[in-house]
């Protein structure tokens, strides 16, 4: 029993912070990702990329209609 506990302690000590805490991400990488996503959203406007904007609009309309019809069927 004690031998088994000793192995667990050794494994626990050997773990680094990323393994111990799960998904550890660097704050600078998170900020960089947010900055890139913000820039991408700013570039998606009707006068710069009309086809992509219309594609997203039509997909969003389909999602809204699907939710609306499912809500109407549940009433």
């Amino acid at each position: 029993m004690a031998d088994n506990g000793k192995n667990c302690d050794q494994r626990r000590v050997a773990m680094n912070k990323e393994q111990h805490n799960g998904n550890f991400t660097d704050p600078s990488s998170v900020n960089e990702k947010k900055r890139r996503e913000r820039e991408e959203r700013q570039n998606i406007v009707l006068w710069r990329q009309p086809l992509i904007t219309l594609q997203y609009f039509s997909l969003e309309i389909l999602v809204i209609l699907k939710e609306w019809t499912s809500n109407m069927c549940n009433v």
Side-chain angles (χ1 to χ4, degrees):
M1 184 79 164
D3 189 37
N4 192 11
K6 182 179 177 183
N7 290 339
C8 291
D9 290 338
Q10 286 175 349
R11 278 186 265 150
R12 192 175 304 130
V13 170
M15 281 194 270
N16 62 20
K17 188 174 183 178
E18 291 178 7
Q19 292 172 335
H20 193 295
N21 291 337
N23 294 333
F24 176 75
T25 56
D26 185 27
S28 62
S29 65
V30 172
N31 290 337
E32 180 67 22
K33 183 179 178 184
K34 285 182 181 180
R35 185 188 61 78
R36 278 188 274 122
E37 288 176 351
R38 187 180 318 115
E39 288 176 358
E40 289 176 8
R41 284 192 306 269
Q42 289 174 349
N43 289 333
I44 300 176
V45 290
L46 186 57
W47 57 88
R48 289 189 189 157
Q49 297 177 343
L51 295 178
I52 293 176
T53 306
L54 291 173
Q55 177 186 0
Y56 285 139
F57 172 76
S58 60
L59 291 173
E60 188 66 26
I61 289 295
L62 289 174
V63 169
I64 291 171
L65 287 174
K66 180 181 175 187
E67 291 175 356
W68 183 75
T69 55
S70 69
N71 287 338
M72 292 299 290
C73 291
N74 291 335
V75 170

